[in-house]
Amino acid sequence: MDLLNLMREIAAFILLIQWKTSDSTSHSIVATCQQEFKELPEELSRHHDRNPSPVHALTAELSESQSSLTVRWAINVDSTIRSLNGTWVTWTEDNYNPGSSYSYSYSYRCRYKPEFSSDQISFAGLQQLWFSFTVSNVSVCPSTNYAFDAYNLPPPNPGTGSTYIKRFEEEIQWNAHIYSVLHDDKIVVTFNVSSAADRHTIKLKNPTKTLKTAEIKDGCKVEKCQVELEYTGPCEDLTIWIISQFEHCKGNSKVRHKVNCMKFSAPGKSGLAIGVGCVLALLFVLLCGCITCQMLRWVRGSKRGVCVRVLLVYPAVDGVFQRTVMLLAQSLQSRAGVTVVIDMWDRGSLAEQGPLRWINTQAELADKVLVITPPQTDDLKSNLVPGVSDDTVSASASSLFALTLNLVSSAAHDPLGRDKFWVVNLQAEDPSVRPELRGFRRFLLPRDSEKLHQKLQSCFSSFRNAFEKMEIHTDLLTCAQDNSRDQTPA
């Protein structure tokens, strides 16, 4: 059996290699481009039975050194691709500087290997194919417009128009970013160099003549050059001219800047000061935004946090009673506006503080303390969900219940304190009440379940409205008085 599985894996691996090889055949097509010393291909003068689709996309990009140019184009893979036998690319360079306008044109024929007509090529799953070639030793001249035309060969027959030609245009500009300022007995000039320029000539002029001249050859070591021109005299109407010469370009490129006659401030330092100011302003805006967001979160969180805090206290009876208490806690917790505190959910704090400190703290923080008493019969077992196991009896329940009864006795003579404690009995009919719990509001579950939720919800609504009106203490008193009117007499 293992040998059979091994043979299957080997066969699948061989098929995968064959599929990869056949699928990658189309990617092995290479375009080889050579310069042609004629403007148009001879195919334009011939009649062709079939011709491919036009070039889909065309781009051209200068390298960072501006010494080479990469031309890229895309070809659609459709039913006509088998008739494609080449692509003709024309590069035109136009310069419109006054007194030195010129135009050059260069043509390239690109052939594909293997040819698209070959049956070995598979185009399955392909929609486009991209090709490119690079032209080295490019002479890049500022203020020059470069236009690229490309069309597939053979072209459409004569008389069909020029819609089959794809064009891409790009204009090269040199941004000198000149800054000049008078400083003591010299003028400091900074500017961005053009990497394609052979030399830069800096001239200081007034309206009538040239005052100073400096020349930089072979560029600067850094992109931004700095030149100092000695000068003493009036500063008004002074201008800086920068003339850049390009070896392969006819004419030159000129830019100028009016000298700043104000107190010297190094552009690097002023730029740093502006940058630091912008950063500080941004930090201030971010700080204000963070403070605003925190305030909004606090307000929203406070509104969400306005709820009735309910403490559940119960005696230790058995696992069935423990399970019933936990179900009641979960039911109350699931209601909006009610937060339940019970020893089983706060064991860490209970162990750290001890029963006495924990029950006093929680009772003080709670809005309501529900004292749960067990039923006098075994009817509770019949109300549980079948198949649900009993919970383990809480070890701290007995001591906490006894401590709560002491708090109940202390609050028996205080109307507000007495309203804080509610008695919940898990029996449908009215049972006998423990002496210390008499005089407190009582709920018989499950009969009074909805009534219990409504009373808690009414207090929650009072707390929320009080928070919005910033009159919390008044509404709490109203809630307490309303609860006192519904209190069951002893």
Side-chain angles (χ1 to χ4, degrees):
M1 190 66 178
D2 293 339
L3 180 60
L4 180 59
N5 292 334
L6 179 62
M7 294 296 293
R8 288 177 178 174
E9 292 180 1
I10 293 175
F13 181 71
I14 293 174
L15 290 174
L16 179 62
I17 292 178
Q18 291 180 348
W19 175 77
K20 282 291 184 182
T21 304
S22 62
D23 184 64
S24 61
T25 304
S26 59
H27 298 281
S28 62
I29 302 176
V30 178
T32 304
C33 302
Q34 294 181 344
Q35 186 175 356
E36 297 282 342
F37 297 96
K38 49 187 175 182
E39 294 184 1
L40 300 173
E42 59 272 12
E43 287 90 342
L44 282 175
S45 59
R46 301 175 187 170
H47 181 82
H48 307 282
D49 295 332
R50 296 185 62 193
N51 60 280
S53 299
V55 172
H56 177 71
L58 177 66
T59 62
E61 183 179 0
L62 281 168
S63 63
E64 292 185 3
S65 62
Q66 295 188 344
S67 60
S68 63
L69 184 72
T70 302
V71 181
R72 295 183 177 88
W73 70 97
I75 295 175
N76 282 334
V77 178
D78 54 24
S79 59
T80 67
I81 195 169
R82 295 290 183 182
S83 62
L84 175 63
N85 58 32
T87 300
W88 189 270
V89 180
T90 302
W91 167 27
T92 305
E93 173 184 333
D94 298 318
N95 189 294
Y96 301 106
N97 279 331
S100 60
S101 298
Y102 63 88
S103 178
Y104 292 110
S105 183
Y106 309 91
S107 298
Y108 295 86
R109 178 187 288 269
C110 299
R111 295 180 173 86
Y112 301 96
K113 293 183 180 181
E115 298 179 353
F116 285 100
S117 58
S118 175
D119 295 334
Q120 298 178 356
I121 300 177
S122 173
F123 300 105
L126 296 177
Q127 295 181 349
Q128 288 181 1
L129 293 175
W130 279 89
F131 300 94
S132 65
F133 75 96
T134 301
V135 181
S136 302
N137 300 323
V138 176
S139 58
V140 179
C141 306
S143 302
T144 302
N145 183 70
Y146 294 90
F148 298 86
D149 293 327
Y151 51 91
N152 290 328
L153 301 176
N157 294 321
T160 57
S162 59
T163 56
Y164 61 93
I165 300 177
K166 191 71 175 180
R167 166 158 285 215
F168 175 80
E169 295 187 16
E170 182 80 8
E171 184 175 358
I172 307 299
Q173 292 290 346
W174 169 46
N175 195 342
H177 288 295
I178 305 175
Y179 182 85
S180 58
V181 64
L182 177 64
H183 178 53
D184 295 335
D185 57 351
K186 59 187 176 182
I187 293 178
V188 181
V189 182
T190 58
F191 65 97
N192 290 339
V193 299
S194 174
S195 59
D198 301 291
R199 65 182 182 274
H200 300 275
T201 303
I202 300 95
K203 293 184 178 183
L204 173 64
K205 293 184 178 184
N206 62 18
T208 60
K209 61 180 178 179
T210 300
L211 304 175
K212 291 287 182 179
T213 301
E215 191 172 272
I216 299 176
K217 293 184 179 180
D218 301 327
C220 294
K221 294 182 179 180
V222 294
E223 181 183 357
K224 184 176 285 295
C225 270
Q226 179 171 308
V227 179
E228 296 181 357
L229 301 175
E230 299 292 335
Y231 175 76
T232 55
C235 179
E236 290 74 13
D237 299 325
L238 290 180
T239 56
I240 289 291
W241 288 77
I242 299 180
I243 301 107
S244 299
Q245 280 105 14
F246 300 85
E247 180 181 357
H248 302 287
C249 301
K250 292 184 178 181
N252 48 47
S253 180
K254 300 179 182 179
V255 290
R256 68 174 181 172
H257 178 262
K258 191 177 187 311
V259 176
N260 185 1
C261 298
M262 299 179 65
K263 186 177 179 180
F264 172 75
S265 176
K269 294 182 179 179
S270 63
L272 178 61
I274 294 175
V276 171
C278 291
V279 171
L280 292 177
L282 179 61
L283 290 176
F284 178 75
V285 172
L286 291 176
L287 180 61
C288 293
C290 290
I291 294 175
T292 303
C293 290
Q294 290 295 336
M295 292 179 64
L296 290 175
R297 289 178 181 174
W298 180 82
V299 171
R300 293 174 181 176
S302 299
K303 288 184 178 182
R304 289 193 299 265
V306 177
C307 57
V308 179
R309 186 181 179 91
V310 178
L311 172 63
L312 265 63
V313 185
Y314 56 95
V317 180
D318 53 24
V320 177
F321 178 71
Q322 183 75 29
R323 177 62 180 172
T324 306
V325 172
M326 298 309 298
L327 289 175
L328 175 61
Q330 293 172 7
S331 174
L332 295 176
Q333 183 75 13
S334 64
R335 297 296 180 105
V338 178
T339 299
V340 175
V341 179
I342 190 170
D343 61 328
M344 296 295 290
W345 294 350
D346 199 17
R347 294 178 180 178
S349 178
L350 177 60
E352 181 181 351
Q353 298 179 12
L356 179 61
R357 181 181 175 186
W358 186 87
I359 194 63
N360 285 319
T361 302
Q362 298 301 330
E364 183 177 355
L365 295 175
D367 299 299
K368 297 296 176 184
V369 179
L370 301 187
V371 182
I372 304 174
T373 59
Q376 302 298 324
T377 65
D378 294 335
D379 294 339
L380 188 63
K381 295 184 180 181
S382 62
N383 295 328
L384 294 180
V385 179
V388 178
S389 59
D390 299 339
D391 284 10
T392 304
V393 179
S394 171
S396 58
S398 180
S399 58
L400 293 176
F401 187 75
L403 292 172
T404 302
L405 292 180
N406 293 336
L407 296 177
V408 169
S409 301
S410 301
H413 304 288
D414 182 9
L416 292 178
R418 185 172 63 248
D419 186 69
K420 188 173 190 176
F421 295 88
W422 291 356
V423 179
V424 177
N425 189 269
L426 302 179
Q427 189 167 351
E429 296 181 358
D430 202 359
S432 59
V433 184
R434 298 176 62 118
E436 56 265 46
L437 297 179
R438 293 175 181 174
F440 292 87
R441 180 193 298 254
R442 282 189 295 158
F443 298 89
L444 302 179
L445 301 186
R447 187 193 69 184
D448 297 335
S449 296
E450 192 62 30
K451 180 181 178 182
L452 174 62
H453 290 306
Q454 289 177 357
K455 291 299 181 181
L456 291 176
Q457 191 66 32
S458 65
C459 287
F460 164 69
S461 300
S462 299
F463 293 164
R464 182 180 60 189
N465 295 335
F467 179 83
E468 293 176 352
K469 298 178 181 179
M470 301 303 294
E471 298 175 353
I472 297 178
H473 297 293
T474 303
D475 280 57
L476 283 175
L477 182 60
T478 302
C479 178
Q481 292 175 352
D482 178 67
N483 292 332
S484 298
R485 284 194 296 268
D486 294 336
Q487 179 181 315
T488 304

